[in-house]
C-alpha cells in the first residue's frame, strides 16, 4: 500500500522569541510554521509586562524542530505590585506576618518612646495603602520603651559610704557622692 503525500514534516529552525511581545512571538512562530502555545503568565521583575520570559523548547543556535511543532511560551505579567499594610500599633510578630502576606520585607529601627510600650511599631516610612513592588523593603520603627532600665533600689540610709555605693552599683547604677 502506498500513501501519496505522506512524508515526514520537514525540519525548521527554532526562532528565539524570548523578549518579544506575545503578538510578535506568535507571528514569528507562524512564519516558521510552528504553533504558539501559551503555557502560563507569571510575575517577573526583569521582563516587562506582555513579553516572553521563556520558551520550550529553549532557543539554541541552529536548533531544528519538526514543522508544525508546538512552542510553549511563558509571558511576563511584569513586576508584581502590592499595597503597604498598616504596621503602626502592631507588634513585631504581627508586622512580620502582615509584611509576609503582602510580599514585603521589613527593616526594623529601634527607638525609645515615652508613650508607646516596648515591642510595638511606632511609625512606618511608607504610608499604609501605598502601592509598591512586591519584594520591596519598608522601614518601620519599633519602640524599645523609655530606654531607662527600671531597678528596685534598697535603702542605703544609715549605711557607711562604701557599703551604700557598692549596693547601688550592683544594681547597675552610677553613683556620685557629694558631701554637704
Amino acid at each position: 500500500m502506498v500513501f501519496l503525500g505522506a512524508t515526514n514534516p520537514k525540519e525548521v529552525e527554532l526562532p528565539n522569541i524570548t523578549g518579544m511581545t506575545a503578538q510578535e512571538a506568535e507571528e514569528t512562530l507562524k512564519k516558521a510554521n510552528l504553533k504558539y502555545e501559551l503555557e502560563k503568565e507569571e510575575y517577573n521583575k526583569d521582563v516587562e509586562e506582555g513579553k516572553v520570559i521563556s520558551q520550550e523548547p529553549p532557543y539554541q543556535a541552529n536548533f531544528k524542530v519538526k514543522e508544525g511543532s508546538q512552542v510553549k511560551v511563558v509571558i511576563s505579567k511584569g513586576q508584581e505590585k502590592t499595597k503597604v499594610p498598616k504596621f503602626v500599633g502592631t507588634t513585631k510578630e504581627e508586622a512580620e506576618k502582615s509584611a509576609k502576606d503582602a510580599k514585603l520585607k521589613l527593616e526594623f529601627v529601634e527607638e525609645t518612646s515615652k508613650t508607646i510600650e516596648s515591642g510595638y511599631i511606632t511609625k512606618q516610612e511608607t504610608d499604609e495603602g501605598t502601592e509598591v513592588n512586591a519584594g520591596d523593603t519598608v522601614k518601620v520603627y519599633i519602640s524599645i520603651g523609655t530606654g531607662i532600665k527600671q531597678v528596685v533600689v534598697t535603702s542605703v540610709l544609715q549605711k557607711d559610704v562604701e557599703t551604700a555605693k557598692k549596693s547601688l552599683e550592683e544594681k547597675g547604677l552610677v553613683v556620685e557622692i557629694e558631701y554637704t
Side-chain angles (χ1 to χ4, degrees):
M1 213 155 134
V2 177
F3 292 100
L4 296 175
T7 59
N8 279 341
K10 70 177 187 169
E11 292 201 335
V12 293
E13 197 167 311
L14 179 68
N16 182 8
I17 56 171
T18 304
M20 292 182 178
T21 66
Q23 186 178 349
E24 290 168 340
E26 197 166 358
E27 289 169 4
T28 301
L29 291 174
K30 192 175 183 180
K31 285 179 190 167
N33 292 322
L34 297 169
K35 294 178 185 159
Y36 172 96
E37 181 189 333
L38 176 62
E39 182 176 2
K40 63 182 174 180
E41 292 183 344
E42 61 185 40
Y43 289 108
N44 187 300
K45 66 182 178 66
D46 300 319
V47 179
E48 135 185 12
E49 184 177 355
K51 296 209 171 176
V52 177
I53 299 170
S54 64
Q55 66 184 71
E56 185 60 44
Y59 172 76
Q60 296 173 21
N62 303 316
F63 184 72
K64 299 206 184 266
V65 292
K66 298 225 180 280
E67 195 173 48
S69 295
Q70 282 196 320
V71 178
K72 293 181 180 180
V73 177
V74 177
I75 301 292
S76 174
K77 295 199 291 189
Q79 171 69 54
E80 186 174 6
K81 301 286 186 185
T82 187
K83 289 201 185 294
V84 176
K86 179 182 178 186
F87 295 118
V88 175
T90 64
T91 64
K92 183 176 184 180
E93 293 74 26
E94 291 166 339
E96 286 171 329
K97 183 184 181 321
S98 294
K100 184 179 178 191
D101 292 347
K103 299 179 181 174
L104 293 169
K105 297 178 193 135
L106 291 178
E107 177 186 341
F108 290 97
V109 178
E110 292 180 343
E111 69 176 5
T112 59
S113 173
K114 292 179 182 171
T115 57
I116 299 177
E117 186 181 335
S118 177
Y120 284 85
I121 307 298
T122 60
K123 62 185 171 191
Q124 60 191 73
E125 284 198 353
T126 307
D127 292 336
E128 171 188 0
T130 304
E131 188 174 79
V132 295
N133 293 333
D136 280 1
T137 299
V138 175
K139 188 182 282 190
V140 295
Y141 294 81
I142 188 164
S143 173
I144 56 170
T146 61
I148 299 170
K149 184 178 173 188
Q150 302 285 321
V151 293
V152 176
V153 179
T154 54
S155 175
V156 292
L157 294 175
Q158 308 294 321
K159 294 191 178 180
D160 68 85
V161 172
E162 285 307 310
T163 306
K165 182 177 180 188
K166 184 177 180 206
S167 172
L168 294 171
E169 286 175 340
E170 285 173 354
K171 300 284 185 182
L173 298 172
V174 177
V175 179
E176 289 182 19
I177 301 170
E178 287 186 16
Y179 295 96
T180 56

